[in-house]
Amino acid sequence: MLKATQYGDVTEIKMGRSIDGVTALYWVAAYLIDGILIDTGCDYSKKELADFLEDKQVSVIINTHHHEDHVGGNALLAKRFGLRAFAHPETIPLMSRKYDLYPFEVEIWGYPDPSTAAPIGTAVKEGGATLRIIETPGHCRGHISLFEEERRILFSGDIWVGERPKTARVEEDVHQLISDLRKFEELRPKIMFASLGKAVAEPQQVIKRTRVYLEETRNEIRRLHSEGKSSEQILDELFGRESVLAPVTQYQLSTKIFIESFLREPRVIQRFVAES
Ligand SMILES: [Zn+2]
């Protein structure tokens, strides 16, 4: 299933697997700006995406990260249109081989065909747009966000999913996520396009509230932990109950993981130095 919406110069392409033909199980968005396609959705929607792009001007693909709902159309778009993709050097080996998915991921997004990408530099210039690459590895290794300086448009990938997140996955690093949000604040975007298919106008305050909420949550979790409380006890005290998403995601996305992420040391981030 695919739904496209125009926001000024940006085309939002929301995609997802549909069982009933009415709505998607879970939306994910790709964005098109001045011939640059940011992400390619999941395997279930790859043909619809390729058909949609048939009469559009697309010169290049940028993948924000390797997750199966962001690279699912890459191989088909390369085959049909000869499109090249660019991604963070840490993302490339992850998208070029098949890796195991959990049953919920297979159900919602499916296995992406392995695809290739070239290492991205510090910026991508194409058809009037200059997208600056912002390293934002809080969601997973190699995650990047993109910023169009002139129009102050931020493509935030999977870094911002809502104002008060209460779940995380093991590969997420909430300390890094806080730093990533700080980087977004410094950019002073006029509009933010998030991968879950949400356009937020004047997002400065929303981003700040999310960052402050995460910092306050970190303080609370650390305080309770220093009192000798377990992550289960902290969960009861701060959130009342585990997220409803936990059982349906085989406990890969949960509030317990969210809490434990605050108690881990920040991950050591490998920087990349490629020049465009
Ligand atoms: Zn992701």
mmCIF file of all heavy atoms in Angstrom, residues 65 67 69-70 139 158, ligand 1:
data_model
loop_
_atom_site.group_PDB
_atom_site.id
_atom_site.type_symbol
_atom_site.label_atom_id
_atom_site.label_comp_id
_atom_site.label_asym_id
_atom_site.label_seq_id
_atom_site.Cartn_x
_atom_site.Cartn_y
_atom_site.Cartn_z
ATOM 1 N N HIS A 65 19.354 4.273 7.124
ATOM 2 C CA HIS A 65 19.955 3.162 7.875
ATOM 3 C C HIS A 65 19.543 1.845 7.231
ATOM 4 O O HIS A 65 18.803 1.834 6.250
ATOM 5 C CB HIS A 65 19.608 3.235 9.361
ATOM 6 C CG HIS A 65 18.146 3.167 9.713
ATOM 7 N ND1 HIS A 65 17.216 4.078 9.257
ATOM 8 C CD2 HIS A 65 17.450 2.282 10.484
ATOM 9 C CE1 HIS A 65 16.031 3.771 9.748
ATOM 10 N NE2 HIS A 65 16.122 2.672 10.473
ATOM 11 N N HIS A 67 17.755 -0.802 8.292
ATOM 12 C CA HIS A 67 16.581 -1.583 8.695
ATOM 13 C C HIS A 67 15.692 -1.938 7.500
ATOM 14 O O HIS A 67 15.572 -1.175 6.540
ATOM 15 C CB HIS A 67 15.779 -0.841 9.770
ATOM 16 C CG HIS A 67 16.448 -0.896 11.110
ATOM 17 N ND1 HIS A 67 16.152 -0.034 12.136
ATOM 18 C CD2 HIS A 67 17.409 -1.735 11.585
ATOM 19 C CE1 HIS A 67 16.893 -0.334 13.185
ATOM 20 N NE2 HIS A 67 17.666 -1.356 12.876
ATOM 21 N N ASP A 69 12.688 -1.863 6.779
ATOM 22 C CA ASP A 69 11.624 -0.983 6.294
ATOM 23 C C ASP A 69 12.181 0.293 5.641
ATOM 24 O O ASP A 69 11.429 1.218 5.338
ATOM 25 C CB ASP A 69 10.637 -0.629 7.424
ATOM 26 C CG ASP A 69 11.309 -0.135 8.688
ATOM 27 O OD1 ASP A 69 12.480 -0.500 8.921
ATOM 28 O OD2 ASP A 69 10.673 0.600 9.451
ATOM 29 N N HIS A 70 13.484 0.332 5.438
ATOM 30 C CA HIS A 70 14.108 1.518 4.826
ATOM 31 C C HIS A 70 14.888 1.198 3.556
ATOM 32 O O HIS A 70 15.261 2.099 2.825
ATOM 33 C CB HIS A 70 15.018 2.214 5.851
ATOM 34 C CG HIS A 70 14.252 2.773 7.006
ATOM 35 N ND1 HIS A 70 13.969 4.110 7.128
ATOM 36 C CD2 HIS A 70 13.665 2.160 8.060
ATOM 37 C CE1 HIS A 70 13.239 4.297 8.223
ATOM 38 N NE2 HIS A 70 13.041 3.134 8.798
ATOM 39 N N HIS A 139 19.614 5.521 16.959
ATOM 40 C CA HIS A 139 18.629 4.477 16.617
ATOM 41 C C HIS A 139 19.319 3.145 16.312
ATOM 42 O O HIS A 139 18.845 2.090 16.720
ATOM 43 C CB HIS A 139 17.794 4.948 15.425
ATOM 44 C CG HIS A 139 16.798 3.955 14.943
ATOM 45 N ND1 HIS A 139 15.721 3.555 15.709
ATOM 46 C CD2 HIS A 139 16.717 3.252 13.784
ATOM 47 C CE1 HIS A 139 15.020 2.655 15.022
ATOM 48 N NE2 HIS A 139 15.603 2.457 13.868
ATOM 49 N N ASP A 158 14.677 7.518 11.752
ATOM 50 C CA ASP A 158 13.975 6.904 12.892
ATOM 51 C C ASP A 158 14.410 7.488 14.237
ATOM 52 O O ASP A 158 14.217 6.859 15.279
ATOM 53 C CB ASP A 158 14.218 5.387 12.897
ATOM 54 C CG ASP A 158 13.215 4.641 12.018
ATOM 55 O OD1 ASP A 158 12.227 5.260 11.580
ATOM 56 O OD2 ASP A 158 13.415 3.438 11.792
HETATM 57 ZN ZN ZN B 1 14.882 1.721 12.000
#
